[in-house]
Amino acid sequence: MAWGREAGEGTEGVQSWARRPAVPAAPGTGARGAGVAGTGAMGTGALGTSALGAGAALAGRVLSVADLTRRVRARVESDPGLARVLVKGEVSAFRRHTSGHLYFTLKDEVAQIRCVMFRSRAGGLRGPVGDGVSVIAFGSVGVYEAGGQYQLYVEVLFPAGLGELYAAVERLRRKLEAEGLFDPARKRPLPLLPRRVGVVTSPVGAAIRDVITVSRRRFPKIDLLVAPAQVQGEQAPRSLIRAIEDLQASGLVDVIIVGRGGGSPEELAAFNDEGVVRAIAACRVPVVSAVGHETDVTLADLAADRRAPTPSAAAELVVPLYSQLQADLRAASHRLAQGLVRRVRLARERLELLTRSPVLRRPEALLQQRRQRVDELSLRLAAAIRGVLRDRRAQAEGLAGRLDALSPLATLGRGYAAVLEGPGGALVRSVRALRPGQRVQVVLSDGSASARVEEVHPDVAQGDRA
Amino acid sequence: MSHRETAPEVEPARAPSFEQALKRLEAIVARLESGELSLEEALQLFEEGVRMARHCSARLEEAEGRLEALLRDEDSGALMVRTFEPEGRGSLPEAAEGMERGAASG
């Protein structure tokens, strides 16, 4: 039933593909053995005898080879399980065509598959590959119609051993990252002008020469201290660790460049070594890593305070431009002097302004003003005092007048006499206090006389008046 | 060092680094240009600025163009500093030559 489906319906998914037999069924039954498609719906007997019947069956049901192949291709290339796969196998029949494309076969004990790696994907060849090499290929399965072949279009190819190397590096990376070794917060800034630059690299080769050349071009008298080390091979990790620790222990350098020129993944392996990476992370002096080329990233690069794509670039990061620093310093000194000059000028201007002011030029003018004011105020004060005195005097005179009117002396002046009991005694207010024969004092306005009472005559009408 | 304005980043044991001195100098210039200082303060800061500029200059000129290697004595294990002789073809620019070139372009 499934065979009768039209081409172009291929997007059924993996499940429908799985239901079909993995290998095309071998020609077995008679009708299928005739090699005619589209018999399912009709049954196998329909073609058996009549030529007319056969003709009718054949018409419209016959595919060209191209059609059939196209169907297969559509089926294969639409399957997500065949796209971007990783395949492990052994290489055989490896050859490089003049076009630059690579052709080879990948095989294992049971099966094989043709592979092609186009020249445009040449960057995906990661390591030495040839007949007999166990590799891991990354790519997609497709159908080459003209050749009637399904094949693996390879994008990345590397020796399987290298794959394991990559996996191990990735495991180490995760472990160290979890410890916080690559934490951006741990990165230290590089000194603007290092007293001395430390370099850990091979004493021979392009890397050290590049560092020296670039450093001297930027800052001709810069001091460099090289700690020679092996940068590949079995001894490399220990050698690198030693060199880094020695530079740190010497106390002579402000910054360290650790690196080497380009190389294969195996050649760069020392910079993925756990000990080396830890030594870089633990180094108290800032470290700039410069391993291989731009695209090579090692764990050393992650642990360093800065990463440079090449040793030359590292020198550019670490060594400042002498001419630039000189210019900066000159500019700052100039502004310093200018700043002071301006400040002094400001002070001088202020002083001049003050000396021009009228107060400073004719100080007595101020005094005259004040003096005049004082005179004015004195006059007013005197007048005010006089005024007050006048008022008070009038008031006092008024009060004196009243006092006078109320004074008993005035009363006496008008002809009245005061009677006192005996000499210096109390004033007699009532006639009833007197007894005949009593001695009294009579006080008049101009003197007194002693007298004796003869008779007392109280008025009856007024009653007691005390 | 001025007693008025403290520079906390200066190590007590040695003179400031180029970077520290330059930063201090730039800070002084900014204050001076702000115009808010008394004349006496301005003079004091100016003096300190001159000292900083001299430090910077000293640092800039104290490099000697040395190219050395840090090695370990095989017997004692002690660290030693020796002149470094890079091998290989061609010659490297001499420190002196480079200095002339640098001076010309600087």
Side-chain angles (χ1 to χ4, degrees):
Chain A
M1 310 70 85
W3 303 103
R5 297 251 178 89
E6 296 299 307
E9 283 181 349
T11 49
E12 297 165 38
V14 182
Q15 292 84 357
S16 61
W17 182 249
R19 269 190 265 116
R20 299 193 196 96
V23 179
T29 57
R32 293 230 194 90
V36 176
T39 54
M42 291 174 53
T44 55
L47 295 172
T49 49
S50 152
L52 205 58
L58 289 171
R61 289 285 193 172
V62 177
L63 294 172
S64 66
V65 173
D67 290 340
L68 177 63
T69 308
R70 219 172 290 128
R71 281 197 192 188
V72 172
R73 181 177 175 188
R75 188 71 71 191
V76 165
E77 292 184 359
S78 65
D79 185 333
L82 296 177
R84 304 177 65 78
V85 289
L86 285 163
V87 182
K88 182 170 178 181
E90 188 185 305
V91 172
S92 72
F94 186 92
R95 71 178 202 288
R96 186 187 296 270
H97 198 260
T98 46
S99 58
H101 305 319
L102 297 173
Y103 294 92
F104 55 97
T105 299
L106 274 189
K107 62 181 191 183
D108 59 20
E109 309 83 39
V110 176
Q112 64 179 27
I113 181 170
R114 292 292 307 159
C115 299
V116 57
M117 193 168 182
F118 293 125
R119 196 183 54 168
S120 57
R121 297 288 191 184
L125 187 60
R126 309 272 173 86
V129 167
D131 287 356
V133 176
S134 173
V135 298
I136 294 176
F138 171 78
S140 304
V141 180
V143 171
Y144 176 47
E145 296 181 42
Q149 271 177 348
Y150 69 96
Q151 40 187 18
L152 182 65
Y153 293 90
V154 178
E155 293 176 44
V156 183
L157 183 67
F158 48 83
L162 203 61
E164 269 130 40
L165 181 67
Y166 286 158
V169 168
E170 176 59 19
R171 274 195 302 274
L172 181 60
R173 186 192 70 77
R174 284 200 205 127
K175 170 174 136 184
L176 296 179
E177 186 176 50
E179 285 182 35
L181 250 59
F182 308 147
D183 189 2
R186 291 181 84 247
K187 311 289 182 204
R188 287 156 298 183
L190 306 182
L192 178 59
L193 174 58
R195 284 172 301 131
R196 211 188 308 216
V197 176
V199 189
V200 173
T201 191
S202 165
V204 308
I208 185 61
R209 296 161 57 78
D210 287 346
V211 169
I212 294 170
T213 305
V214 173
S215 297
R216 287 202 170 139
R217 188 176 61 224
R218 293 171 67 81
F219 199 112
K221 287 197 294 174
I222 190 82
D223 291 321
L224 301 169
L225 184 60
V226 180
Q230 291 187 37
V231 292
Q232 66 187 54
E234 237 184 70
Q235 300 300 316
R238 211 168 57 208
S239 174
L240 287 167
I241 294 169
R242 204 73 184 290
I244 293 168
E245 290 177 345
D246 283 352
L247 275 178
Q248 185 187 234
S250 75
L252 294 172
V253 297
D254 291 347
V255 66
I256 296 176
I257 296 176
V258 177
R260 57 157 288 153
S264 69
E266 285 100 349
E267 289 170 335
L268 304 184
F271 293 85
N272 283 318
D273 175 86
E274 182 168 353
V276 172
V277 176
R278 286 191 187 280
I280 289 174
C283 188
R284 284 189 297 277
V285 176
V287 172
V288 175
S289 68
V291 181
H293 298 309
E294 171 81 48
T295 51
D296 295 314
V297 180
T298 59
L299 297 185
D301 295 315
L302 300 181
D305 295 284
R306 289 289 293 275
R307 185 214 163 206
T310 61
S312 299
E316 284 178 5
L317 272 180
V318 160
V319 179
L321 275 176
Y322 176 82
S323 55
Q324 183 63 59
L325 292 184
Q326 233 189 3
D328 289 347
L329 185 56
R330 257 204 300 270
S333 297
H334 179 75
R335 281 171 64 200
L336 181 72
Q338 283 302 301
L340 186 70
V341 163
R342 268 206 296 272
R343 184 64 195 79
V344 169
R345 189 182 307 142
L346 192 68
R348 188 175 296 136
E349 279 169 11
R350 275 200 209 141
L351 183 64
E352 232 166 281
L353 209 61
L354 287 171
T355 57
R356 253 185 261 133
S357 109
V359 175
L360 282 181
R361 285 200 278 121
R362 296 190 58 236
E364 69 270 14
L366 188 68
L367 224 53
Q368 274 165 8
Q369 293 268 335
R370 295 285 178 272
R371 201 167 280 144
Q372 188 169 331
R373 182 108 177 103
V374 168
D375 288 347
E376 216 170 277
L377 288 171
S378 310
L379 287 172
R380 282 169 60 188
L381 183 66
I385 289 173
R386 278 200 299 277
V388 170
L389 277 176
R390 206 174 23 243
D391 291 343
R392 290 286 176 273
R393 192 169 292 131
Q395 212 176 19
E397 277 170 10
L399 287 170
R402 283 168 65 191
L403 197 64
D404 230 23
L406 295 167
S407 161
L409 289 174
T411 311
L412 290 178
R414 290 201 294 276
Y416 290 91
V419 178
L420 307 176
E421 282 181 14
L427 181 70
V428 176
R429 283 205 174 85
S430 167
V431 76
R432 291 166 211 275
L434 293 173
R435 304 275 172 273
Q438 183 177 354
R439 290 190 85 85
V440 293
Q441 193 83 5
V442 177
V443 179
L444 289 156
S445 67
D446 57 351
S448 63
S450 51
R452 199 190 318 263
V453 174
E454 299 241 326
E455 290 172 0
V456 176
H457 303 288
D459 293 338
V460 279
Q462 271 112 352
D464 279 3
R465 253 196 279 176
Chain B
M1 223 41 43
S2 163
H3 301 297
R4 270 275 198 93
E5 316 249 347
T6 52
E9 65 273 11
V10 174
E11 297 165 272
R14 37 194 304 269
S17 72
F18 179 89
E19 192 163 8
Q20 289 165 339
L22 187 63
K23 277 203 179 91
R24 181 68 193 136
L25 176 58
E26 285 173 350
I28 287 172
V29 166
R31 282 223 66 199
L32 211 49
E33 288 178 343
S34 73
E36 293 161 1
L37 302 168
S38 74
L39 197 53
E40 186 185 318
E41 281 173 332
L43 284 167
Q44 271 193 332
L45 275 186
F46 177 80
E47 272 173 24
E48 191 190 344
V50 168
R51 273 200 298 276
M52 290 299 111
R54 285 211 197 104
H55 277 307
C56 286
S57 193
R59 284 295 192 225
L60 211 49
E61 301 305 321
E62 74 186 2
E64 297 174 27
R66 289 175 285 199
L67 177 58
E68 291 164 325
L70 185 66
L71 306 166
R72 251 180 209 281
D73 182 72
E74 275 169 24
D75 307 313
S76 65
L79 287 174
M80 338 174 282
V81 175
R82 294 282 177 272
T83 316
F84 178 70
E85 304 285 343
E87 301 163 45
R89 10 170 243 288
S91 61
L92 289 165
E94 286 299 321
E97 281 173 36
M99 187 164 70
E100 282 158 24
R101 261 188 266 129
S105 61

